[in-house]
Amino acid sequence: MSKNITPPVIEIGIIGWLRKNLFSTWYNTILTLIGLYFIYLIIPPLLSWIFFDATFSGTTRADCTSSGACWVFIKQNMKLIIYGLYPSDELWRVNIAYFLLTVSIVYLLVPNLKYKGVVGIFLLVIFPIICVFLFSGGLGLENVETRLWGGLFLTLVIAGVGIVLSLPIGIMLALGRRSKLPVVSLLSTIFIEVWRGVPLITVLFMASNMFPLFMPEGVNFDKLIRALIGVMFFSAAYLAEVVRGGLQAMPKGQYEASQAAGLTYWKMMALIILPQSLKVVIPAIIGSFIALFKDTTLVLIIGLFDFLGIIQFVGTNPDWLGFSHEGYVFAAAIFWVFCFGMSRYSQRLEKKLDTGN
Amino acid sequence: MTSETMIEMSSVHKWFGELHVLNDINLKVVKGEKIVICGPSGSGKSTLIRCINRLEEHQRGEIVVEGTELTNDNRSVEKIRGEVGMVFQQFNLFPHLSILDNCSLAPIWVRKLPKVEAREKAMKYLKRVQIDDQAHKYPAQLSGGQQQRAAIARALCMEPRIMLFDEPTSALDPEMIKEVLDVMVGLAEGGMTMLVVTHEMGFAKEVADKIIFMDEGQIVESKNPTDFFSNPENERTKTFLSQIL
């Protein structure tokens, strides 16, 4: 008797894979060939434009002589793209924040390190507080008005605040909507449905133009803060429904076992129900975060220059007219890196939290 | 045996909508007593024991557990839940926690025991149900019988004065029923006050002080095992016994 039977050669290796996945029938073969043709049409010119025919060195538009992209445009405007109009002398403050953010995230991503909980709490609670003082001033630091904030920095501020604050608010709204107390449930439902029923653009317009009308004269609320509150509640309303979906997926037995053990409502939620139901909806939560991250670009319409907005803005500079392609491709690439990163992190988290049930 | 009253139910009624699931239940349980409750499905037997720790609310009558009356006051409910352990048909272990954490959670968060002490206690009871070697696994990695024994250990970690069992072996494969029943017999021998909803008549014969037969929300027969099996009075009990034995 043979001990180790290997699969037939045709099933394995590159040839086997090709046969099975690309050339299994005559019509699949045709589709494969058409697909290859399109790849041939698109990829080589794109690569030439981005890399092979592109200009990387130089300082002015006169250096853009090649037929491909001219990345000098990005390079020369990098400071604007990353920091907006933040005063040059104060850039170190933003840099400290970038540095702390990067270090904490990298720390959290490296497997099997100790004190991840501490770093997580630092990132979610202490770091934002540090940022408030770093960015806007106070405690001896010079005041920097928010209208000077811009670029990637502003995008990360809006997305960061939105992500960090909207999840807890969303969880509270979801619990509120399922509450047995009619008033709590009704108020949560109204709140959720109102915010979900309005486009984000409208929310931002309202925050920027309508809100001041209702304020007593002389009271001036920072425009960025108004936008942040709008983005935060908008995202919270969506997350509330996502979380509610997770709560509904919980079997009744989990509630009963928690109650029978004597846990109070909040302990039951915090220790038993939420950890499980949030785990179920991680993909949807991260999906909402990704949507939020991309939606930050809408703040352009109320005159805040986020990452995409500032790229558009520098594209209208007479010195650099005609380089908007480079700008958009660069913006798309950076957005993609962030969103793809979040997506991968979501998958890792799911795997890590999997306990086999 | 002392005759300290642990549970007293008087004229308890409950409806699910129009359905009268508990109809004038009067039941007194003294310390150390083992009561087996049986009856056809839908007879209200699960509802009865679930009223004792307020997983179901009774609408009329009075339930007093260890001198505390069950009312809408959350404090009375919490106090009673602390004294009463429950084991479910579907185990209801917390799947995101290890077996050890399942057991030490309530002692830590309800009894406010220090972590180390709670874990020691958890290990003690896991040892007693003979799955201390599985303490660091997750529920999904255990067999049904092991899960149910873990669930019993979890309830015991609160050192309850009363244990409620709601069809603890109904969801188990036949070969695993015995290991769970053995644990329950051991518990009974240790003097625990127990209310067990089950169809395991062998278990009832062996440990019960009293067998209660329920039908349509009423207690129709309440006897010691010998009389219950040899000499049932009610017609419905007789039919039930003839079908199940």
Side-chain angles (χ1 to χ4, degrees):
Chain A
M1 295 299 284
S2 53
K3 296 158 286 189
N4 295 314
I5 304 177
T6 53
V9 176
I10 203 157
E11 299 278 317
I12 56 166
I14 295 172
I15 294 179
W17 187 88
L18 284 176
R19 266 204 204 178
K20 199 171 147 208
N21 293 294
L22 296 177
F23 302 101
S24 56
T25 57
W26 63 268
Y27 50 86
N28 278 345
T29 306
I30 291 179
L31 284 176
T32 301
L33 292 176
I34 293 175
L36 285 174
Y37 179 64
F38 274 106
I39 290 173
Y40 166 76
L41 278 188
I42 296 165
I43 300 296
L46 199 61
L47 287 179
S48 324
W49 186 79
I50 295 177
F51 299 108
F52 308 127
D53 296 340
T55 311
F56 291 95
S57 57
T59 49
T60 64
R61 92 178 273 160
D63 296 311
C64 300
T65 48
S66 65
S67 61
C70 185
W71 299 118
V72 179
F73 165 66
I74 301 292
K75 206 170 77 180
Q76 287 307 111
N77 291 299
M78 196 54 108
K79 197 186 128 220
L80 272 173
I81 292 173
I82 293 185
Y83 305 98
L85 297 168
Y86 212 84
S88 298
D89 293 341
E90 307 292 330
L91 286 187
W92 59 271
R93 285 152 59 171
V94 181
N95 284 335
I96 287 181
Y98 274 130
F99 174 75
L100 287 175
L101 180 70
T102 316
V103 169
S104 322
I105 288 178
V106 168
Y107 190 91
L108 289 177
L109 288 180
V110 177
N112 304 326
L113 285 182
K114 273 186 183 174
Y115 307 120
K116 280 202 177 183
V118 179
V119 176
I121 289 171
F122 168 79
L123 195 58
L124 294 179
V125 182
I126 301 167
F127 177 66
I129 297 171
I130 296 177
C131 284
V132 169
F133 290 110
L134 266 182
F135 297 161
S136 60
L139 297 179
L141 288 172
E142 197 185 316
N143 191 32
V144 178
E145 283 181 64
T146 55
R147 64 182 177 81
L148 300 176
W149 301 16
L152 184 63
F153 162 53
L154 181 65
T155 293
L156 291 178
V157 166
I158 298 171
V161 169
I163 287 172
V164 170
L165 294 181
S166 67
L167 186 58
I169 298 174
I171 291 172
M172 294 314 290
L173 285 170
L175 293 178
R177 190 166 183 170
R178 284 170 59 88
S179 167
K180 279 191 207 140
L181 308 170
V183 178
V184 175
S185 165
L186 183 72
L187 288 178
S188 308
T189 309
I190 290 174
F191 188 92
I192 292 169
E193 294 305 339
V194 165
W195 284 94
R196 286 210 311 162
V198 184
L200 183 56
I201 291 198
T202 318
V203 171
L204 292 173
F205 263 129
M206 295 275 283
S208 153
N209 300 325
M210 300 286 289
F211 189 70
L213 299 179
F214 300 118
M215 286 278 120
E217 206 152 339
V219 175
N220 196 13
F221 232 48
D222 191 277
K223 184 157 76 176
L224 176 63
I225 291 180
R226 279 182 267 145
L228 283 176
I229 293 174
V231 168
M232 177 180 84
F233 282 146
F234 184 81
S235 172
Y238 275 90
L239 283 170
E241 288 300 276
V242 167
V243 172
R244 194 167 67 96
L247 290 172
Q248 267 160 351
M250 270 304 103
K252 212 169 146 235
Q254 292 293 307
Y255 291 91
E256 291 182 347
S258 320
Q259 287 165 351
L263 294 175
T264 57
Y265 174 83
W266 289 108
K267 283 178 190 162
M268 167 173 81
M269 284 301 164
L271 298 168
I272 307 298
I273 305 299
L274 282 173
Q276 293 183 67
S277 43
L278 289 179
K279 191 174 87 181
V280 176
V281 293
I282 286 173
I285 289 177
I286 303 283
S288 278
F289 286 166
I290 289 175
L292 166 67
F293 188 77
K294 294 189 291 190
D295 282 348
T296 56
T297 51
L298 290 174
V299 298
L300 179 63
I301 60 151
I302 58 167
L304 295 172
F305 287 92
D306 73 312
F307 181 59
L308 183 65
I310 208 110
I311 285 178
Q312 253 172 331
F313 171 72
V314 292
T316 58
N317 178 348
D319 290 343
W320 290 102
L321 277 181
F323 289 94
S324 49
H325 287 118
E326 281 85 343
Y328 288 130
V329 168
F330 180 70
I334 298 298
F335 270 107
W336 183 83
V337 166
F338 276 98
C339 295
F340 184 68
M342 284 193 259
S343 167
R344 298 298 300 181
Y345 184 64
S346 141
Q347 287 175 18
R348 263 184 58 157
L349 210 55
E350 271 178 78
K351 254 187 218 150
K352 200 180 145 204
L353 297 177
D354 183 32
T355 53
N357 55 286
Chain B
M1 197 163 73
T2 57
S3 57
E4 185 191 339
T5 306
M6 301 295 276
I7 304 170
E8 185 146 28
M9 301 174 93
S10 14
S11 317
V12 171
H13 290 262
K14 178 171 179 61
W15 291 263
F16 284 135
E18 290 288 296
L19 187 69
H20 203 168
V21 279
L22 291 182
N23 185 354
D24 195 25
I25 299 291
N26 292 284
L27 177 68
K28 192 174 149 183
V29 184
V30 297
K31 189 164 190 287
E33 201 174 10
K34 287 93 186 139
I35 294 181
V36 166
I37 304 168
C38 57
S41 67
S43 59
K45 51 195 191 309
S46 286
T47 311
L48 190 156
I49 65 166
R50 288 158 60 87
C51 278
I52 294 170
N53 65 349
R54 201 62 159 192
L55 288 185
E56 304 284 358
E57 237 171 90
H58 61 287
Q59 284 141 329
R60 263 214 220 154
E62 198 185 61
I63 302 178
V64 179
V65 182
E66 287 213 276
T68 309
E69 192 192 340
L70 266 175
T71 59
N72 277 328
D73 183 3
N74 272 338
R75 275 167 305 178
S76 80
V77 176
E78 273 164 34
K79 184 164 180 289
I80 287 168
R81 282 176 178 165
E83 303 299 331
V84 179
M86 187 161 199
V87 175
F88 299 85
Q89 182 177 358
Q90 299 294 340
F91 329 137
N92 295 345
L93 290 171
F94 306 129
H96 62 304
L97 300 175
S98 70
I99 297 299
L100 184 61
D101 290 340
N102 262 278
C103 292
S104 60
L105 183 121
I108 292 172
W109 292 95
V110 181
R111 288 267 191 267
K112 315 264 185 247
L113 285 190
K115 233 179 177 172
V116 184
E117 206 176 306
R119 283 171 165 249
E120 275 168 16
K121 185 167 285 182
M123 284 313 289
K124 177 179 128 194
Y125 286 107
L126 284 172
K127 200 164 203 145
R128 189 148 149 205
V129 300
Q130 295 176 350
I131 46 168
D132 46 323
D133 53 334
Q134 315 281 339
H136 295 286
K137 290 191 181 165
Y138 286 98
Q141 293 166 293
L142 268 56
S143 74
Q146 290 172 326
Q147 288 192 47
Q148 192 60 299
R149 284 187 280 150
I152 294 174
R154 175 177 69 178
L156 291 177
C157 283
M158 288 292 280
E159 312 208 305
R161 313 242 294 148
I162 301 164
M163 284 283 284
L164 308 175
F165 292 83
D166 189 0
E167 304 205 30
T169 56
S170 304
L172 294 174
D173 290 336
E175 75 267 29
M176 291 168 184
I177 290 178
K178 190 176 175 300
E179 63 187 56
V180 171
L181 289 179
D182 285 346
V183 169
M184 290 166 63
V185 171
L187 207 55
E189 283 164 356
M192 179 66 80
T193 309
M194 291 163 71
L195 275 86
V196 185
V197 173
T198 186
H199 292 144
E200 295 294 330
M201 288 301 130
F203 172 80
K205 248 179 219 171
E206 191 183 338
V207 301
D209 298 311
K210 188 159 54 176
I211 302 182
I212 288 174
F213 180 78
M214 285 186 73
D215 193 32
E216 295 180 351
Q218 289 175 306
I219 296 179
V220 296
E221 192 108 38
S222 172
K223 287 207 162 88
N224 68 52
T226 329
D227 289 346
F228 183 82
F229 289 110
S230 58
N231 183 11
E233 285 163 39
N234 191 288
E235 276 312 312
R236 283 174 290 188
T237 318
K238 287 179 194 166
T239 327
F240 180 76
L241 284 175
S242 68
Q243 280 163 350
I244 180 167
L245 290 178

